[in-house]
């Protein structure tokens, strides 16, 4: 469900200060009088007339304007009233400011629903894909190659995708990509129905899905500041990340397994339908979501635009340290998760069901974090919350290195999930707030390269450490690395640094 709390009106997004003032201005009246109301006749003094009253009897929304049918009641000297109807159109502003007083706006509702639908389908495919690969081969290296095929595009195309997102209309990019994903997964589903699936075809489809993801995810992050006001970014990101976790990590895995067991093609056909529905929802968002280039600006190349974004990120003190931090955090996380099934079986004594429940505790903490993130950030501030997140991350690895109780590990996993979600909300919201609109896609892609690139390295490193020094070795090494990172980031992640970054963003403008 979308939140229904009132959102403060964005003064810059509308031409009037309030609906009442806008109605008064649209009717052409001054303080209490409506244009067109009959004035008292000249002559002897009479009792002061009552001011005309305007009452809205119907309202409709068309594009970015609110259409009111207003009944205007103007008293006559005789004591009778003169009633007429007028049609008034009020501007809602480029961002739909009046609508946001009742929530995050209809465009965000469409975006949220599209996110929920596509993540459900995506999660189903991510479960069904390895199951399909395992039915074609029992070689673990070939099955693992499916994950490599999906992640490889992030290393190859992330920066180029960011540059394209900054050049094109972001809504159209999302619609086109979802349509392409619908076609790709739909063709895979048909191939499964016809019993014509091969490993190369599976690799090709997952590589195409990964490539499309680099464009879609970048556009989705970059479009949000045009959909909700700046002060609501944390709330909006929390809702989007929360529904992503529910759909992708809680609902989709068991659903994908059940559908694959019932009919191997069903998960892929469901995913194709989810992408089609998501494309239709995003296509229904009115407006333009393209960053216009200043008139007279010289032509540029993709390579030059990418270099500009990388230089911008390298010069930005706060986002630079956060990019390095997320790289090391993902490196250590991937190192420990890569052997988590062995850790659960051999150290905690859990079976398949227990392992599944253990991993779901991360999602439970993450969902709680998505709901509470805005309040936590508002209470502690982003800098303090990030600092505490580093402490939680370091402590998680230490506890896991020492623990043998499944309940204790489940509790620390839930706390980690809460921290990871809160960190993500802060990270995404700060980038949307601090990065100029014209650079948002490119800088986000450079930032993502840090996080995604380190995942593959961490998985390899975790396996090697565990094989040579034992199952707890990745946790001890991760604890040491995260402790050093916490010490290095502590003097930089301060309220003053965040305030300076916001001031710099206000000075730079779009």
């Amino acid at each position: 469900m979308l939140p229904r709390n009132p959102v403060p009106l964005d003064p810059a997004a509308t031409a009037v200060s309030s609906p009442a003032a806008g109605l008064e201005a649209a009717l052409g009246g001054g303080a209490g009088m409506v244009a067109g109301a009959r004035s008292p006749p000249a002559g002897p003094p009479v009792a002061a007339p009552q001011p005309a009253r305007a009452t809205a009897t119907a309202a409709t929304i068309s594009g970015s304007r609110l259409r009111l049918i207003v009944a205007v009641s103007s008293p006559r000297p005789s004591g009778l009233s003169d009633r007429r109807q007028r049609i008034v159109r009020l501007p809602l502003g480029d961002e739909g400011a009046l609508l946001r007083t009742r929530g995050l706006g209809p465009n965000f509702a469409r975006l949220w629903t599209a996110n929920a639908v596509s993540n459900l389908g995506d999660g189903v495919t991510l479960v069904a894909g390895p199951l399909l690969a395992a039915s074609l081969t029992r070689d673990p290296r070939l099955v693992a190659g499916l994950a490599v095929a999906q992640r490889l595009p992030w290393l190859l195309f992330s920066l180029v995708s960011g540059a394209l997102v900054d050049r094109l209309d972001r809504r159209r990019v999302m619609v086109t990509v979802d349509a392409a994903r619908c076609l790709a997964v739909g063709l895979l589903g048909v191939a499964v129905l016809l019993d014509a699936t091969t490993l190369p075809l599976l690799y090709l489809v997952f590589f195409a899905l990964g490539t499309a993801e680099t464009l879609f995810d970048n556009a989705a992050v970059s479009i949000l500041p045009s959909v909700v006001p700046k002060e609501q970014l944390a709330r909006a990101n929390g809702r989007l990340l929360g529904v992503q976790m529910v759909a992708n990590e809680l609902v989709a895995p068991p659903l994908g397994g059940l559908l694959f067991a019932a009919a191997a093609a069903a998960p892929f056909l469901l995913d194709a339908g989810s992408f089609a529905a998501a494309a239709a929802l995003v296509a229904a968002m009115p407006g333009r979501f393209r960053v216009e280039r200043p008139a007279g600006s010289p032509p540029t190349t993709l390579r030059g635009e990418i270099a500009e974004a990388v230089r911008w990120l390298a010069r930005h003190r706060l986002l630079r340290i956060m990019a390095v931090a997320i790289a090391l955090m993902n490196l250590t996380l991937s190192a420990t998760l890569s052997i988590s099934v062995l850790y659960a079986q051999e150290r905690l004594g859990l079976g398949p069901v227990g392992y599944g429940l253990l991993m779901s505790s991360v999602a439970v903490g993450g969902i709680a974090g998505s709901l509470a993130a805005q309040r936590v950030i508002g209470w502690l501030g982003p800098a303090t919350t990030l600092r505490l997140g580093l402490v939680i991350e370091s402590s998680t690895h230490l506890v896991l290195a020492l623990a043998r109780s499944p309940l204790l590990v489940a509790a620390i996993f839930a706390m980690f999930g809460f921290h990871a979600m809160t960190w993500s909300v802060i990270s995404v919201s700060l980038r949307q707030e601090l990065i100029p609109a014209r650079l948002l896609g490119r800088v986000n892609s450079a930032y993502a390269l840090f996080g995604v690139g380190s995942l593959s390295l961490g998985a390899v490193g975790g396996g090697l450490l565990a094989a040579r020094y034992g199952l707890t070795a990745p946790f001890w090494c991760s604890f040491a690395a995260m402790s050093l990172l916490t010490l290095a980031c502590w003097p930089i992640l301060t309220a003053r640094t965040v305030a300076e970054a916001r001031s710099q963003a206000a000075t730079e403008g779009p």
Side-chain angles (χ1 to χ4, degrees), residues 44-69:
V46 293
Q50 295 297 315
R53 294 182 179 180
T55 305
T57 60
T60 58
I61 294 169
S62 176
S64 61
R65 302 185 75 82
L66 177 66
R67 181 178 180 269
L68 297 176
I69 299 177

PDB file of all heavy atoms in Angstrom, residues 44-69:
ATOM      1  N   PRO A  44     -27.839  56.092  -2.275  1.00  0.00           N
ATOM      2  CA  PRO A  44     -27.789  56.218  -0.826  1.00  0.00           C
ATOM      3  C   PRO A  44     -27.098  55.026  -0.201  1.00  0.00           C
ATOM      4  O   PRO A  44     -27.129  53.926  -0.720  1.00  0.00           O
ATOM      5  CB  PRO A  44     -29.277  56.277  -0.430  1.00  0.00           C
ATOM      6  CG  PRO A  44     -30.005  56.644  -1.673  1.00  0.00           C
ATOM      7  CD  PRO A  44     -29.200  56.101  -2.804  1.00  0.00           C
ATOM      8  N   PRO A  45     -26.456  55.251   0.911  1.00  0.00           N
ATOM      9  CA  PRO A  45     -25.779  54.140   1.581  1.00  0.00           C
ATOM     10  C   PRO A  45     -26.769  53.049   1.927  1.00  0.00           C
ATOM     11  O   PRO A  45     -27.879  53.298   2.360  1.00  0.00           O
ATOM     12  CB  PRO A  45     -25.206  54.797   2.846  1.00  0.00           C
ATOM     13  CG  PRO A  45     -25.151  56.248   2.544  1.00  0.00           C
ATOM     14  CD  PRO A  45     -26.286  56.526   1.628  1.00  0.00           C
ATOM     15  N   VAL A  46     -26.324  51.837   1.708  1.00  0.00           N
ATOM     16  CA  VAL A  46     -27.121  50.663   2.064  1.00  0.00           C
ATOM     17  C   VAL A  46     -26.243  49.738   2.884  1.00  0.00           C
ATOM     18  O   VAL A  46     -25.033  49.932   3.006  1.00  0.00           O
ATOM     19  CB  VAL A  46     -27.616  49.925   0.784  1.00  0.00           C
ATOM     20  CG1 VAL A  46     -28.604  50.788   0.021  1.00  0.00           C
ATOM     21  CG2 VAL A  46     -26.446  49.523  -0.090  1.00  0.00           C
ATOM     22  N   ALA A  47     -26.881  48.730   3.427  1.00  0.00           N
ATOM     23  CA  ALA A  47     -26.098  47.763   4.223  1.00  0.00           C
ATOM     24  C   ALA A  47     -25.031  47.143   3.341  1.00  0.00           C
ATOM     25  O   ALA A  47     -25.253  46.845   2.168  1.00  0.00           O
ATOM     26  CB  ALA A  47     -27.029  46.686   4.775  1.00  0.00           C
ATOM     27  N   ALA A  48     -23.874  46.971   3.890  1.00  0.00           N
ATOM     28  CA  ALA A  48     -22.761  46.395   3.124  1.00  0.00           C
ATOM     29  C   ALA A  48     -23.129  45.014   2.606  1.00  0.00           C
ATOM     30  O   ALA A  48     -23.627  44.181   3.359  1.00  0.00           O
ATOM     31  CB  ALA A  48     -21.516  46.291   4.009  1.00  0.00           C
ATOM     32  N   PRO A  49     -22.925  44.768   1.334  1.00  0.00           N
ATOM     33  CA  PRO A  49     -23.278  43.466   0.783  1.00  0.00           C
ATOM     34  C   PRO A  49     -22.366  42.374   1.322  1.00  0.00           C
ATOM     35  O   PRO A  49     -21.219  42.604   1.647  1.00  0.00           O
ATOM     36  CB  PRO A  49     -23.082  43.656  -0.727  1.00  0.00           C
ATOM     37  CG  PRO A  49     -22.023  44.701  -0.822  1.00  0.00           C
ATOM     38  CD  PRO A  49     -22.279  45.637   0.332  1.00  0.00           C
ATOM     39  N   GLN A  50     -22.926  41.157   1.395  1.00  0.00           N
ATOM     40  CA  GLN A  50     -22.105  40.005   1.761  1.00  0.00           C
ATOM     41  C   GLN A  50     -21.192  39.677   0.590  1.00  0.00           C
ATOM     42  O   GLN A  50     -21.581  39.825  -0.577  1.00  0.00           O
ATOM     43  CB  GLN A  50     -22.995  38.796   2.085  1.00  0.00           C
ATOM     44  CG  GLN A  50     -23.874  38.999   3.306  1.00  0.00           C
ATOM     45  CD  GLN A  50     -23.038  39.183   4.559  1.00  0.00           C
ATOM     46  OE1 GLN A  50     -22.090  38.448   4.771  1.00  0.00           O
ATOM     47  NE2 GLN A  50     -23.378  40.170   5.370  1.00  0.00           N
ATOM     48  N   PRO A  51     -19.984  39.267   0.843  1.00  0.00           N
ATOM     49  CA  PRO A  51     -19.093  38.926  -0.263  1.00  0.00           C
ATOM     50  C   PRO A  51     -19.595  37.723  -1.046  1.00  0.00           C
ATOM     51  O   PRO A  51     -20.309  36.884  -0.512  1.00  0.00           O
ATOM     52  CB  PRO A  51     -17.766  38.603   0.452  1.00  0.00           C
ATOM     53  CG  PRO A  51     -18.165  38.219   1.835  1.00  0.00           C
ATOM     54  CD  PRO A  51     -19.364  39.049   2.151  1.00  0.00           C
ATOM     55  N   ALA A  52     -19.241  37.711  -2.305  1.00  0.00           N
ATOM     56  CA  ALA A  52     -19.619  36.568  -3.134  1.00  0.00           C
ATOM     57  C   ALA A  52     -18.949  35.306  -2.622  1.00  0.00           C
ATOM     58  O   ALA A  52     -17.836  35.332  -2.112  1.00  0.00           O
ATOM     59  CB  ALA A  52     -19.188  36.842  -4.584  1.00  0.00           C
ATOM     60  N   ARG A  53     -19.647  34.200  -2.776  1.00  0.00           N
ATOM     61  CA  ARG A  53     -19.107  32.910  -2.333  1.00  0.00           C
ATOM     62  C   ARG A  53     -18.909  32.003  -3.548  1.00  0.00           C
ATOM     63  O   ARG A  53     -19.764  31.938  -4.430  1.00  0.00           O
ATOM     64  CB  ARG A  53     -20.064  32.243  -1.338  1.00  0.00           C
ATOM     65  CG  ARG A  53     -20.206  32.993  -0.029  1.00  0.00           C
ATOM     66  CD  ARG A  53     -21.128  32.251   0.919  1.00  0.00           C
ATOM     67  NE  ARG A  53     -21.258  32.942   2.189  1.00  0.00           N
ATOM     68  CZ  ARG A  53     -22.019  32.504   3.196  1.00  0.00           C
ATOM     69  NH1 ARG A  53     -22.724  31.386   3.065  1.00  0.00           N
ATOM     70  NH2 ARG A  53     -22.086  33.181   4.324  1.00  0.00           N
ATOM     71  N   ALA A  54     -17.800  31.314  -3.535  1.00  0.00           N
ATOM     72  CA  ALA A  54     -17.514  30.370  -4.619  1.00  0.00           C
ATOM     73  C   ALA A  54     -17.355  28.980  -4.020  1.00  0.00           C
ATOM     74  O   ALA A  54     -16.568  28.777  -3.106  1.00  0.00           O
ATOM     75  CB  ALA A  54     -16.236  30.767  -5.357  1.00  0.00           C
ATOM     76  N   THR A  55     -18.138  28.024  -4.525  1.00  0.00           N
ATOM     77  CA  THR A  55     -18.097  26.660  -4.009  1.00  0.00           C
ATOM     78  C   THR A  55     -17.825  25.706  -5.156  1.00  0.00           C
ATOM     79  O   THR A  55     -18.536  25.724  -6.174  1.00  0.00           O
ATOM     80  CB  THR A  55     -19.442  26.279  -3.348  1.00  0.00           C
ATOM     81  OG1 THR A  55     -19.739  27.245  -2.361  1.00  0.00           O
ATOM     82  CG2 THR A  55     -19.364  24.895  -2.724  1.00  0.00           C
ATOM     83  N   ALA A  56     -16.809  24.877  -5.004  1.00  0.00           N
ATOM     84  CA  ALA A  56     -16.507  23.883  -6.040  1.00  0.00           C
ATOM     85  C   ALA A  56     -17.503  22.744  -5.942  1.00  0.00           C
ATOM     86  O   ALA A  56     -17.656  22.113  -4.903  1.00  0.00           O
ATOM     87  CB  ALA A  56     -15.087  23.361  -5.876  1.00  0.00           C
ATOM     88  N   THR A  57     -18.208  22.468  -7.050  1.00  0.00           N
ATOM     89  CA  THR A  57     -19.211  21.406  -7.054  1.00  0.00           C
ATOM     90  C   THR A  57     -18.724  20.153  -7.751  1.00  0.00           C
ATOM     91  O   THR A  57     -19.313  19.089  -7.605  1.00  0.00           O
ATOM     92  CB  THR A  57     -20.490  21.901  -7.759  1.00  0.00           C
ATOM     93  OG1 THR A  57     -20.160  22.260  -9.102  1.00  0.00           O
ATOM     94  CG2 THR A  57     -21.073  23.107  -7.040  1.00  0.00           C
ATOM     95  N   ALA A  58     -17.654  20.253  -8.514  1.00  0.00           N
ATOM     96  CA  ALA A  58     -17.088  19.078  -9.182  1.00  0.00           C
ATOM     97  C   ALA A  58     -15.645  19.381  -9.516  1.00  0.00           C
ATOM     98  O   ALA A  58     -15.257  20.541  -9.659  1.00  0.00           O
ATOM     99  CB  ALA A  58     -17.879  18.742 -10.450  1.00  0.00           C
ATOM    100  N   ALA A  59     -14.844  18.325  -9.619  1.00  0.00           N
ATOM    101  CA  ALA A  59     -13.424  18.511  -9.931  1.00  0.00           C
ATOM    102  C   ALA A  59     -12.942  17.349 -10.766  1.00  0.00           C
ATOM    103  O   ALA A  59     -13.300  16.197 -10.524  1.00  0.00           O
ATOM    104  CB  ALA A  59     -12.606  18.623  -8.652  1.00  0.00           C
ATOM    105  N   THR A  60     -12.124  17.644 -11.766  1.00  0.00           N
ATOM    106  CA  THR A  60     -11.463  16.608 -12.562  1.00  0.00           C
ATOM    107  C   THR A  60     -10.026  17.035 -12.783  1.00  0.00           C
ATOM    108  O   THR A  60      -9.689  18.211 -12.678  1.00  0.00           O
ATOM    109  CB  THR A  60     -12.151  16.414 -13.939  1.00  0.00           C
ATOM    110  OG1 THR A  60     -12.143  17.650 -14.633  1.00  0.00           O
ATOM    111  CG2 THR A  60     -13.574  15.921 -13.774  1.00  0.00           C
ATOM    112  N   ILE A  61      -9.164  16.065 -13.095  1.00  0.00           N
ATOM    113  CA  ILE A  61      -7.751  16.340 -13.342  1.00  0.00           C
ATOM    114  C   ILE A  61      -7.444  16.008 -14.790  1.00  0.00           C
ATOM    115  O   ILE A  61      -7.789  14.930 -15.274  1.00  0.00           O
ATOM    116  CB  ILE A  61      -6.858  15.517 -12.400  1.00  0.00           C
ATOM    117  CG1 ILE A  61      -7.084  15.973 -10.956  1.00  0.00           C
ATOM    118  CG2 ILE A  61      -5.395  15.666 -12.769  1.00  0.00           C
ATOM    119  CD1 ILE A  61      -6.448  15.055  -9.948  1.00  0.00           C
ATOM    120  N   SER A  62      -6.835  16.933 -15.489  1.00  0.00           N
ATOM    121  CA  SER A  62      -6.441  16.725 -16.871  1.00  0.00           C
ATOM    122  C   SER A  62      -5.006  17.198 -17.040  1.00  0.00           C
ATOM    123  O   SER A  62      -4.724  18.381 -16.918  1.00  0.00           O
ATOM    124  CB  SER A  62      -7.378  17.492 -17.808  1.00  0.00           C
ATOM    125  OG  SER A  62      -6.941  17.370 -19.153  1.00  0.00           O
ATOM    126  N   GLY A  63      -4.112  16.228 -17.305  1.00  0.00           N
ATOM    127  CA  GLY A  63      -2.706  16.600 -17.457  1.00  0.00           C
ATOM    128  C   GLY A  63      -2.169  17.204 -16.188  1.00  0.00           C
ATOM    129  O   GLY A  63      -2.199  16.612 -15.135  1.00  0.00           O
ATOM    130  N   SER A  64      -1.677  18.426 -16.282  1.00  0.00           N
ATOM    131  CA  SER A  64      -1.092  19.088 -15.118  1.00  0.00           C
ATOM    132  C   SER A  64      -1.993  20.200 -14.597  1.00  0.00           C
ATOM    133  O   SER A  64      -1.523  21.128 -13.962  1.00  0.00           O
ATOM    134  CB  SER A  64       0.281  19.667 -15.487  1.00  0.00           C
ATOM    135  OG  SER A  64       0.129  20.614 -16.513  1.00  0.00           O
ATOM    136  N   ARG A  65      -3.326  20.114 -14.887  1.00  0.00           N
ATOM    137  CA  ARG A  65      -4.230  21.156 -14.434  1.00  0.00           C
ATOM    138  C   ARG A  65      -5.417  20.529 -13.712  1.00  0.00           C
ATOM    139  O   ARG A  65      -5.882  19.454 -14.052  1.00  0.00           O
ATOM    140  CB  ARG A  65      -4.722  22.017 -15.605  1.00  0.00           C
ATOM    141  CG  ARG A  65      -3.594  22.673 -16.380  1.00  0.00           C
ATOM    142  CD  ARG A  65      -4.144  23.597 -17.443  1.00  0.00           C
ATOM    143  NE  ARG A  65      -4.658  24.836 -16.877  1.00  0.00           N
ATOM    144  CZ  ARG A  65      -3.910  25.874 -16.552  1.00  0.00           C
ATOM    145  NH1 ARG A  65      -2.605  25.825 -16.722  1.00  0.00           N
ATOM    146  NH2 ARG A  65      -4.446  26.973 -16.046  1.00  0.00           N
ATOM    147  N   LEU A  66      -5.900  21.233 -12.705  1.00  0.00           N
ATOM    148  CA  LEU A  66      -7.079  20.834 -11.950  1.00  0.00           C
ATOM    149  C   LEU A  66      -8.268  21.636 -12.467  1.00  0.00           C
ATOM    150  O   LEU A  66      -8.258  22.862 -12.471  1.00  0.00           O
ATOM    151  CB  LEU A  66      -6.857  21.113 -10.455  1.00  0.00           C
ATOM    152  CG  LEU A  66      -8.034  20.817  -9.513  1.00  0.00           C
ATOM    153  CD1 LEU A  66      -8.329  19.325  -9.485  1.00  0.00           C
ATOM    154  CD2 LEU A  66      -7.721  21.326  -8.112  1.00  0.00           C
ATOM    155  N   ARG A  67      -9.328  20.944 -12.937  1.00  0.00           N
ATOM    156  CA  ARG A  67     -10.507  21.601 -13.519  1.00  0.00           C
ATOM    157  C   ARG A  67     -11.636  21.576 -12.496  1.00  0.00           C
ATOM    158  O   ARG A  67     -12.092  20.516 -12.092  1.00  0.00           O
ATOM    159  CB  ARG A  67     -10.920  20.877 -14.798  1.00  0.00           C
ATOM    160  CG  ARG A  67     -12.134  21.470 -15.526  1.00  0.00           C
ATOM    161  CD  ARG A  67     -12.371  20.659 -16.802  1.00  0.00           C
ATOM    162  NE  ARG A  67     -13.502  21.152 -17.557  1.00  0.00           N
ATOM    163  CZ  ARG A  67     -14.749  20.723 -17.413  1.00  0.00           C
ATOM    164  NH1 ARG A  67     -15.016  19.789 -16.505  1.00  0.00           N
ATOM    165  NH2 ARG A  67     -15.719  21.203 -18.158  1.00  0.00           N
ATOM    166  N   LEU A  68     -12.066  22.752 -12.056  1.00  0.00           N
ATOM    167  CA  LEU A  68     -13.135  22.881 -11.069  1.00  0.00           C
ATOM    168  C   LEU A  68     -14.368  23.480 -11.723  1.00  0.00           C
ATOM    169  O   LEU A  68     -14.271  24.427 -12.522  1.00  0.00           O
ATOM    170  CB  LEU A  68     -12.711  23.787  -9.904  1.00  0.00           C
ATOM    171  CG  LEU A  68     -11.543  23.332  -9.029  1.00  0.00           C
ATOM    172  CD1 LEU A  68     -11.245  24.410  -8.008  1.00  0.00           C
ATOM    173  CD2 LEU A  68     -11.847  22.019  -8.346  1.00  0.00           C
ATOM    174  N   ILE A  69     -15.541  22.917 -11.408  1.00  0.00           N
ATOM    175  CA  ILE A  69     -16.812  23.554 -11.756  1.00  0.00           C
ATOM    176  C   ILE A  69     -17.295  24.257 -10.494  1.00  0.00           C
ATOM    177  O   ILE A  69     -17.560  23.615  -9.474  1.00  0.00           O
ATOM    178  CB  ILE A  69     -17.842  22.535 -12.245  1.00  0.00           C
ATOM    179  CG1 ILE A  69     -17.323  21.824 -13.503  1.00  0.00           C
ATOM    180  CG2 ILE A  69     -19.177  23.213 -12.531  1.00  0.00           C
ATOM    181  CD1 ILE A  69     -18.239  20.747 -14.013  1.00  0.00           C
TER     182      ILE A  69
END
